[in-house]
Amino acid sequence: MSGLGVWNLYFLVKFALYYYGAIDFNVLTNAAFAAMLAIEFKKPLIEKAKHSLGGVLAVVLLYQDSWLPPINRLTKQAGNVQDFSFGYFIELLTRVVNVDMLLALFVISVCFWYTSQWIRFTTVTVVGLLVMGWQSGDSQSHLVSNTPNSAAVAQTQSSTQAQVITEAIQSPDQKLADFYQQQTLLTSNFPSQVSGELFDVIILNVCSMAVADLKAIGVDITDMYKDFDVVFSDFNSATSYSGPAAIRLLRASCGQTSQTALFKDAPEQCYLFKNLEKLGYQNNVVMNHDGHFDEFKGLINKYGGLNSTPFNIDSMPVAQYGFDDSPIYSDGAVLNGWLDTQAKDCKPCAMYYNTTSLHDGNQLANRARMNSQQSYPIRHKNLFSDINTFVKNLESRGRNVMLMIVPEHGAALKGDKVQFAGLREIPSPSIVSVPVAIKFIGPDVQNYSQIVVDDSTSYFALSQLVSKALQSDVFGGKNSVANLLENLPKAPKVAENADTIMMYVNQRPYIQLDGGDWTAYPQGN
């Protein structure tokens, strides 16, 4: 063989993986690697050293081109990963190993060895790199040239003159900066006192339930929320991890911020529960888990403004065991236990409930071990059976309640080309598009039929609804639920994890990893 020799197989495999959507492809670094390998040294020792170094660099480049988290992020998460049970590790391993992909790679390898005698694969590799470079440059220029500047749109309109719109070219980074700048202007104005009848505010923050997950198990959103008044079918959770999602919800009274800003102090008026506390609400924190993983309990206290002591659940029945073998208590027992005890002492109540019953890796108690994806429909059914019972108990108490179900993020039940099932490192659209619902409970509430909101919305809209409900006597029958939804704030779908951003550009999702180039997120499974 001549040229790159057996290294051609490495590049052919990467071309195939890129075509499949399993990896990204940095043209410059791969071309530089190929150039290094093409250099021939006369001294055998140096030639061996080159190939040895090449083996290390090949692994590093493949990892860099993959969608896997950067090494430095993995080291930061080492403590959390150590908490995974052995059974969960095995379950994740079975998801990572893709049999079809392994068979395809085997076929490529065999074809390479049988045809390498008469096909100059180095030429194929060089042509492949040139094509990849051309595609990369073309996609970047297309991305920038077709991104209008929403902040630079000038409009003039009169009765006789048609609307005139001029658009300036804007890069994705500028588009993102403009989005966050616009979000800084959003603040909910809560009243100084409640107008009309008092009502409790109860928020059920559900881990791991996206619209895509419900479709995967054959559950219709409107049917699942058939007893709720308002359903948001395209709510943006803005992240794919629990801690940041909870902070964003608890800071719903201001516009969306960047990921780094979440872990800094925010203005007092941004904290939803602090706004309620100023109106005489007694804040309650309830969870069906101990809140230790990833310091969840500390995060909602320090950055979410919830400093209440969590409701004691030690005596509650255990329904599941988490991916770290920690107990997960029965949702029904915890919710109704709170209702029977702490809820009696606060008028009105503002309660935040967090449940991990749908989290990946959970095992049902007193049952044989089951793949967490197979058990998801069972756990989902149990959760909503408990929630529906809780709703009936709320209705029987005769108190006015604004009840909200807000999922943190999806479970990534099916996975996609980029991330295997259960992996949520990149906040893809299928993970951050979650179903949210609101129910107004009270004898005088005017709720005629279920209202479905299909527009993209996010947390600020929920804060606005709470503020409106406080200022209009909806529980006294003086205003309807439908009226509360007028001029509801919409929200572009921008989502962020640590060093990972997803944003729609030209009506399709793009991602940026570690401040690098923006790349179209591969669609399909």
Side-chain angles (χ1 to χ4, degrees), residues 411-525:
L413 274 184
K414 294 188 67 175
D416 55 28
K417 290 182 177 180
V418 175
Q419 301 182 105
F420 61 80
L423 186 63
R424 293 177 280 107
E425 184 63 25
I426 299 174
S428 66
S430 63
I431 297 175
V432 301
S433 297
V434 299
V436 168
I438 302 176
K439 183 174 179 63
F440 294 85
I441 300 172
D444 299 320
V445 174
Q446 297 180 30
N447 47 352
Y448 306 110
S449 61
Q450 184 185 79
I451 302 172
V452 179
V453 179
D454 293 320
D455 294 324
S456 178
T457 54
S458 199
Y459 302 104
F460 184 69
L462 298 182
S463 177
Q464 287 291 87
L465 283 175
V466 174
S467 176
K468 282 186 176 182
L470 291 167
Q471 297 177 64
S472 59
D473 193 9
V474 65
F475 289 93
K478 305 294 176 58
N479 200 355
S480 69
V481 173
N483 289 339
L484 294 180
L485 298 175
E486 291 182 358
N487 301 316
L488 192 70
K490 300 178 184 179
K493 201 172 294 299
V494 177
E496 216 178 318
N497 288 340
D499 301 316
T500 304
I501 305 173
M502 186 280 295
M503 175 178 65
Y504 271 75
V505 179
N506 303 328
Q507 299 184 329
R508 66 174 297 184
Y510 278 75
I511 58 172
Q512 183 189 59
L513 305 179
D514 298 300
D517 293 332
W518 288 88
T519 307
Y521 192 84
Q523 302 294 287
N525 298 321

Side-chain angles (χ1 to χ4, degrees), residues 315-345:
S315 62
M316 301 293 177
V318 175
Q320 301 177 37
Y321 289 95
F323 54 86
D324 56 353
D325 287 333
S326 63
I328 298 174
Y329 299 90
S330 163
D331 289 290
V334 175
L335 286 170
N336 292 304
W338 170 81
L339 189 59
D340 292 336
T341 54
Q342 286 193 351
K344 292 181 178 180
D345 300 326

Side-chain angles (χ1 to χ4, degrees), residues 111-368:
C111 290
F112 173 79
W113 285 111
Y114 273 96
T115 59
S116 59
Q117 300 300 320
W118 61 85
I119 295 178
R120 295 183 61 85
F121 277 105
T122 298
T123 302
V124 175
T125 298
V126 171
V127 171
L129 289 169
L130 290 173
V131 171
M132 298 286 276
W134 174 77
Q135 287 183 340
S136 176
D138 184 66
S139 63
Q140 286 300 315
S141 62
H142 178 77
L143 171 62
V144 174
S145 64
N146 288 280
T147 307
N149 185 346
S150 57
V153 175
Q155 300 181 8
T156 59
Q157 192 171 14
S158 67
S159 58
T160 59
Q161 185 178 14
Q163 184 174 349
V164 178
I165 299 177
T166 60
E167 296 181 348
I169 295 175
Q170 187 183 39
S171 72
D173 287 327
Q174 292 169 333
K175 181 180 174 72
L176 181 67
D178 278 358
F179 166 75
Y180 281 131
Q181 176 60 33
Q182 292 160 10
Q183 291 293 303
T184 62
L185 306 177
L186 302 179
T187 305
S188 290
N189 295 314
F190 277 72
S192 57
Q193 61 183 17
V194 180
S195 300
E197 294 189 25
L198 290 174
F199 60 93
D200 298 329
V201 176
I202 296 178
I203 301 178
L204 309 184
N205 206 192
V206 179
C207 178
S208 303
M209 185 178 71
V211 174
D213 301 320
L214 298 179
K215 289 181 179 178
I217 62 173
V219 172
D220 181 76
I221 300 172
T222 55
D223 184 57
M224 180 180 75
Y225 287 138
K226 62 184 178 181
D227 294 326
F228 283 71
D229 303 309
V230 184
V231 176
F232 298 90
S233 64
D234 191 21
F235 189 93
N236 178 26
S237 71
T239 184
S240 57
Y241 281 123
S242 298
I247 297 172
R248 290 187 183 280
L249 171 59
L250 296 172
R251 292 186 181 182
S253 297
C254 285
Q256 186 173 326
T257 68
S258 66
Q259 171 83 3
T260 54
L262 287 181
F263 303 99
K264 297 177 182 178
D265 292 335
E268 185 87 1
Q269 64 268 26
C270 294
Y271 297 93
L272 176 60
F273 277 72
K274 285 188 177 182
N275 288 327
L276 293 172
E277 194 173 23
K278 291 176 183 177
L279 293 169
Y281 279 80
Q282 182 176 326
N283 293 340
N284 287 242
V285 177
V286 188
M287 301 182 289
N288 75 332
H289 55 99
D290 58 20
H292 86 280
F293 188 79
D294 204 22
E295 301 180 359
F296 182 84
K297 186 166 58 175
L299 287 176
I300 62 172
N301 183 340
K302 185 175 181 179
Y303 301 111
L306 273 181
N307 53 12
S308 303
T309 302
F311 178 57
N312 192 308
I313 58 174
D314 292 342
S315 62
M316 301 293 177
V318 175
Q320 301 177 37
Y321 289 95
F323 54 86
D324 56 353
D325 287 333
S326 63
I328 298 174
Y329 299 90
S330 163
D331 289 290
V334 175
L335 286 170
N336 292 304
W338 170 81
L339 189 59
D340 292 336
T341 54
Q342 286 193 351
K344 292 181 178 180
D345 300 326
C346 63
K347 293 183 180 180
C349 291
M351 191 268 267
Y352 169 81
Y353 177 70
N354 187 270
T355 172
T356 59
S357 293
L358 300 182
H359 198 286
D360 195 51
N362 287 2
Q363 293 296 314
L364 295 164
N366 304 315
R367 298 270 301 259

